[in-house]
Amino acid sequence: MSRRVALAVFLVGMAILVLPGFFAPEFLTAKDGSVQGALGPLAAPPLGTDSFGRPLLDFVQQGSRIVAGPSLVAALIVMVLGALGGLLACTQSSRLSTVVQVLGETLGALPRLVVVIVVVRVLPEEWRGLMPIAVAWALLTAPGAMDEAASVASRLGGSRFVEAMRAHGFSRRRIYLVHILGYNLRPVLIRQAAETFAQVIFLEMALSYVSMMQTDISELTHGSQEEGWAGILYDGYSYLALNEPTGHSLGLGLVLVALVLVVVRSVVYAGRAR
Amino acid sequence: MERWWIRPVVRLVLAVALPFLVPLLIAGMIWAMPGDPATNVCPDCTGEGMLQMVKDRNLDQGPLHFYSEWMSSMVSGDFGRSWSFQSGEEVAYLLKSGIGFTLKLFLLGGLIILAGAFLTAVKWIPSWLKSGIRLVGMLPGLVLSLAAIAVYTVYINPSAMETTWTQVAMGALILAIADAALSGTIDGVDEVIETEGRRRYVQIAILRGESTLQNILPNTLPALVGQVRARMLSLLSAAIIIEMILKINGVGELLVVGALKQDFPLVMACTFFYVVISSVMLMLQAVIEILVALSIRKSPKGVA
Amino acid sequence: MGIKKRSLLAAAGLSAALLTTGQSLNFYEEALPTSMNPLYAKSMVDTRVNELVFDRLYFHSPINNSLVSRLVDQWQMSEGGRAMQLTLKQGVKWHDGTAFTATDVCFTIDAMLDEGTPSPIAAKQREVFAGCEVKEENVALVRFTKIFHNPRNRLGFYVMPAHSFEGNTAISPDHEFSNRPMGTGPLKGNRGRRGVSFNSVPNAHHQAKVPQMSLQEGADPLVQVRTLQNNGVQGIITVPPPYRADVSASDELSLKSYDLRSWWFVAVNTNKRHLSDKRVRQALNSIIDRTELRKLSIGVEAGEQNSPCEFISGPFVQTSPYYNRAVEVQETADLESALSLLQAGGMKKVGGTWHYRGEAVNLKIGIKASLDVEAPDLLSQVSNQLGAAGFQRQQHKISTDEWNRMVVTGQAEDYDLIIGKWSFGLVEDVNPLFHTRAGGRGGLNIFNYSSTAVDTLLAQFDGARTDTQAQDAYHELHEVLADDLPYLFLWKLDTKSAWQTSVRGNMISAYYYWTDFDSWKYVQ
């Protein structure tokens, strides 16, 4: 697969993941005890309905709206901090490096989900949502990305590489932005950002699923008028465990998971070094 | 001269400090939450009894008092009593009942990963198996857990209140395979060995009839240990979701339920448990790094 | 050969049935108990668990509704009706074998009177009891704060053992008793991570035929019903209406009525500027189409016979003696009248959205999360009807923890509307729901509603010396509340349990559920 094809796959995948969010209804269609549920895509196009007769398209659109912003922000944070880590390794400021190292080690030593759960609990109700969780996740992931970027930069020669390029007449801006970030750190940063993007989406699904399993808690990552992609998997679970006719929900949930993975793999492929 | 000792020392200091710092942060968070912590614990309680309860729970003199009392009790093994999850139950008892399952899950999952790393290093894993592991590893833990709990519910034990070995084994397998834990380790080890194996000193050693692993291990051990620690830390996090979905009575589930019910003694104790494990791993990494660095620096002159 | 094989199987089945008689009986509850200490019971689950583990001093017989006791042998009034002397039954023991004595009765009363016991239940009992004196080992003299119309009715509290607390009457919710209680009831309970396990304890006054029980937390109702059908559990305490047909269709299962006297409501925050005008609340009452809500959420069509859901116009179920039948029920929406009421109440419709004093009205609506199981998506249905009428809105589910911490205590001021359910026993005392929150009264007043007229009627009920006086006060209260509308009253929803037919003699008593547990049998 060429890099262009990979890029095209990534763009199409992202469009499928993100664009539905712009058309998402503000409120999910309410459950209706009087209509037949669990209709397949042929009986209730385009995606069928869940056990309570709600269109699965609503779930897809609302799920997209829930995850798109926070997962992209988290990816961006990791990318920026990772780049910072790589660039720092190319400077001669050992004191700054030490400070960053200490911060990185501290954040990196905390079990991420433990911190996220504490964050979920401590936030006031009006702030609750996926965004603060995604930001916390990104900040805890960033030290790893910074480390990896720094080790790539070190392999390049660190500050000696910059000096050598300066000797060839390149400007500092060009060396940092084009040679270090563009040519050398790009694959690492894109991979780290893409992985964080997927992790936040899967984290949202997991936390939503957990809150759906408990009947007496409120949603952790979105409002009560919304239902995310975990709702599709939750509906599909009754096909697996109870043999209910919700196989299409399970299938759709798996397709969404696969789509996220395809997006990640394609962008990593497209962003690899020449 | 490169200051090789900075990182290990930072890690050692952190390993010692984190178990003290994190409970302090949580104590601060109790007071940062909306409302007064003293009235939050029992809003419909009144009178002297309420004041006494606030005092008994060390909520009457601010976060530092709460923290210091918690720390001093914790040293003697007393983590207090649960406020809301299982009112009146000793947190130490709850923690003890959960630690076994979480450790089994974590260690079993970790063992699979370590075995994967070892088998990769000695090149015993065929490439088709690696591809298979990579393919399954792409799936998130949530999806694999759902499949596992469905199978467990339908075929094995539909109404169990106790956690069984089957649940733990399923959880450990998912923990090791899902979210690219095993495949990431295999690829990481492969990459390190490949990169290091191409170096001149290794090629010469091979010509001398020595094994590759024996030569590259001292140089790659710190990086490998770092990778393994990061992976183990991820496992520890992922185990929380797996415990929830597979209904394993572990510490992760206690933490989630405790946090949702504002049972802070329980949250403090569970967080402390996770932080201690993280600290132990951090300390191990630091010690290994120091030993390797010292051993390299003590090598006889003339040996590269 | 075939016949021989079948006879062998039948014999094996019979012996298995005999051998397994009295096996562990597993059932799904709505949730896990929050505390097993009766002084800190907060939910119906807690109350039901208490009924298995403890004995109330007096209770209403589920068979003939008479006031009886398993602990008291004789009683007589003294001190001019302000005290009652109780002679206790001999041979009753606590679960650890210690004898039950008058000390325990007095200890329980002293614990409730002790200001060091921060229990809201105890706080209420302080208005009833003045003290208790141990006359002899099995004779206690209970003193009341005043002369009560039927004083034995006031003795419906659970008795707790003095020795478990070493005589210390200041009882904390953090005491281990909350988790491993000891009572004189038919079963000894032990709370675990995922449930409560019960073991029978033979006693002079209890002979439970089910030796072991286990309470498990039920989550998804579909999973609960399927597990029951597969005999993974033997009972479900509450089966939501949409799943009842499934249960009825099985020969192995039976649906049982559970008289809970519970009614559903939408509490209105009368302290919000835009909801403070009575006409706005009346408009909301006219916007809500109860018939449509019932159909969509519970699946009951209009005019359906034997409907599990009965509309109400005030804070009582229709079968209650306190229900005022003169007050009409609003079954369907009346949007025209709602429109004129909203305009009269100071609202203006701008661009299809209602505005109050130049600001768009955005209603924050909440529901107790656990109710979503019984009436699926009621929150969305109510929200949709308000949305269709021109209100912006936000929806929130409220966890049980937040419900107990914020809603019941009157601290959920940021909400405009909260959907909930109250359940009552034989005594439907609604004073804590509507009385002005002051001086220990109005303990369950969600939005701190305050009305002098209502307070006066509640005081009349409190001071009633006869049933007629009490009824008169509550009939008038019903009328006043239906007009002032601090709540939009929705319906009474029947509660049904499902049990395997192998569970026999399972009489379900009103409210407390397990009062007649001694007659329950499980023959597999």
Side-chain angles (χ1 to χ4, degrees), chain C residues 401-468:
Chain C
D401 177 54
E402 281 172 321
W403 179 270
N404 292 333
R405 201 161 37 81
M406 306 293 290
V407 178
V408 170
T409 55
Q411 293 179 59
E413 301 102 340
D414 51 334
Y415 280 91
D416 294 279
L417 305 170
I418 288 182
I419 303 169
K421 175 179 96 167
W422 293 121
S423 299
F424 298 86
L426 284 173
V427 184
E428 291 163 281
D429 181 358
V430 297
N431 284 24
L433 314 186
F434 299 107
H435 200 287
T436 303
R437 198 181 271 274
R441 289 169 189 272
L444 301 174
N445 190 339
I446 292 179
F447 285 128
N448 302 315
Y449 166 73
S450 178
S451 155
T452 318
V454 169
D455 287 354
T456 312
L457 288 169
L458 297 176
Q460 271 179 32
F461 174 81
D462 250 355
R465 301 291 297 271
T466 64
D467 288 346
T468 316

Side-chain angles (χ1 to χ4, degrees), chain A residues 27 31 33 216 218 224 244, chain C residues 226 296 377 381 395 397 399:
Chain A
F27 292 85
K31 291 175 186 172
D216 75 335
S218 43
S224 292
E244 293 289 309
Chain C
R226 293 284 180 270
L296 295 173
D377 235 7
Q381 309 290 4
Q395 296 172 201
K397 281 188 190 158
S399 67

Side-chain angles (χ1 to χ4, degrees), chain A residues 163-181:
Chain A
E163 293 308 315
M165 295 297 279
R166 289 279 290 158
H168 280 82
F170 291 105
S171 70
R172 272 190 192 277
R173 185 184 291 178
R174 186 178 161 79
I175 297 167
Y176 282 121
L177 291 183
V178 178
H179 293 275
I180 299 178
L181 276 183

